[in-house]
Amino acid sequence: MTPRSKFARTQKVTIASGILAIVALIVVLQLWLFTASMNAFLGGDAGVLGPAAAASVLCLGLNLGLLRYLYGLER
Amino acid sequence: MTPDARGGTEPHWRRDFPIDWPEAQWVARREFVKFLMPVSLAFAVGQLWLVWRGWQRSAAPGPPVARIARVSDAPVGGAMLFEYPVGSPSRLLVRVDGATFVAYEQQCTHLTCPVLPAVERGELVCPCHHGVFELRTGRPIAGPPRRPLARVALDVRDGWVVATGIEARTA
């Protein structure tokens, strides 16, 4: 016997919508980070590149965690 | 009741091809979140690539000191193109007055069109999108460019204008 999800299907759709909104927001943040970093790089300012890259990798990890949670809802 | 809540009898095609809307929405949202992952990965990789390029640039030695032009060959208000270092994109040397020389990268910081000197107005003008830079500082004063032109550091030695380095700037 397979265990049933603790959320109803309509609840899962709501959760998925919320996660989609958060992930989209994080991707837009990454886009902003990239454009700001490119501007700094072309202007010869290498000081911000490291912290910006760390923040972007952190955003990627957050996104992957949210995706993992989303797939975990199916089990 | 039909799934679209219109009432009446359910059409035959709905019985043959039933659509489970909550399931369809769940899969669509989940797949879109999955689609955004490569986008997020691409941005993170791009950031790391910038770090790598920045490290490469800082590790490379600066260009050597080089003679650009004789002071006597550069008339006041005149401009000339040169390469510094040799093989690089064109740079622009302008003699603003008797004692002042300025030199910048000739590529506009908007979309790399060549900028042209308008010495009488004290400006460098990009004809592609009407970007305007201040001649004495290289800073953008009009149009789409947001970053100043990269400046070539100059010195006058033994009657020669000498380039001693390149200074890229964000503001």
Side-chain angles (χ1 to χ4, degrees), chain B residues 28-69:
Chain B
R29 281 158 179 69
R30 189 194 63 196
E31 290 304 304
F32 191 51
V33 170
K34 191 174 158 188
F35 164 78
L36 287 175
M37 290 304 125
V39 180
S40 182
L41 177 68
F43 282 131
V45 169
Q47 290 281 164
L48 293 173
W49 176 77
L50 282 180
V51 171
W52 167 249
R53 290 291 309 227
W55 179 80
Q56 271 187 325
R57 193 168 60 184
S58 63
V65 174
R67 287 177 168 178
I68 302 302

Side-chain angles (χ1 to χ4, degrees), chain B residues 54 64 115 154 159:
Chain B
V115 295
L154 297 176

